[in-house]
Amino acid sequence: MRVYVLNGPNLGRLGTRQVDVYGAISYADLVGLCEATGRELGLDVTVRQTDAEHELVGWLHDAADEQAAVVLNPAAWSHYSIAVRDACALLRGPLVEVHISNIHAREEFRAHSVISAVATGVICGLGVDGYRLALHHLAARAGAADG
Ligand code: DQA
């Protein structure tokens, strides 16, 4: 099963960015965690990060064309990007939206995600463990679908 783990703006700065909110794990370590989890579960995992909205939209189009599953942390775009939401709505595989922090326990503007209504499910507030849990869910789901 092909899975894209896609990350929006500023997530490349994990490890130095608001460590009290996002933790001390670096982006490189997050990539390693997702790749190792993918290997363990037999998933074909590709991890990417971008600060450019059009690039994320293009990757979502690729995932839609490949009927791939997606784990997406849309970061700040969660809260206002209709372009990212519309690209998510094109997906034909499952979409798990992940937030490292609990967006409901922070500033009011973070509490609403325009992506969530088109996601299969949402994980937030569990730190980077949310990515690992999302991959486990996708593997279990694929196993269930295979019978
Ligand atoms: C985030 C939460 C967003 O509000 C924020 O803009 C981010 C990261 C998270 O992972 O907790 O960049 O998506």
Side-chain angles (χ1 to χ4, degrees):
M1 182 193 203
R2 185 134 179 73
V3 183
Y4 286 99
V5 179
L6 304 177
N7 293 285
N10 302 306
L11 290 168
R13 295 292 174 124
L14 280 180
T16 53
R17 173 192 185 202
Q18 292 183 275
V19 171
D20 53 321
V21 177
Y22 299 112
I25 188 171
S26 68
Y27 177 71
D29 288 341
L30 172 66
V31 173
L33 169 83
C34 292
E35 290 176 348
T37 305
R39 277 194 299 277
E40 176 197 325
L41 297 170
L43 301 172
D44 178 9
V45 170
T46 300
V47 189
R48 294 181 180 153
Q49 188 274 328
T50 184
D51 296 323
E53 193 177 14
H54 72 275
E55 195 165 34
L56 179 61
V57 168
W59 293 340
L60 288 165
H61 290 174
D62 293 343
D65 292 343
E66 295 170 34
Q67 299 193 39
V70 175
V71 175
L72 173 64
N73 185 341
W77 293 324
S78 315
H79 312 301
Y80 67 89
S81 176
I82 306 304
V84 173
R85 177 198 168 113
D86 287 350
C88 288
L90 287 170
L91 292 170
R92 291 180 291 164
L95 167 65
V96 183
E97 177 183 354
V98 171
H99 299 280
I100 296 167
S101 65
N102 180 354
I103 57 174
H104 302 287
R106 299 181 63 194
E107 300 96 327
E108 209 179 316
F109 68 86
R110 293 188 203 276
H112 183 67
S113 163
V114 298
I115 310 299
S116 299
V118 294
T120 309
V122 182
I123 298 173
C124 82
L126 303 183
V128 294
D129 200 37
Y131 290 81
R132 195 184 60 79
L133 294 168
L135 291 169
H136 274 265
H137 170 75
L138 292 172
R141 192 186 177 93
D146 289 347

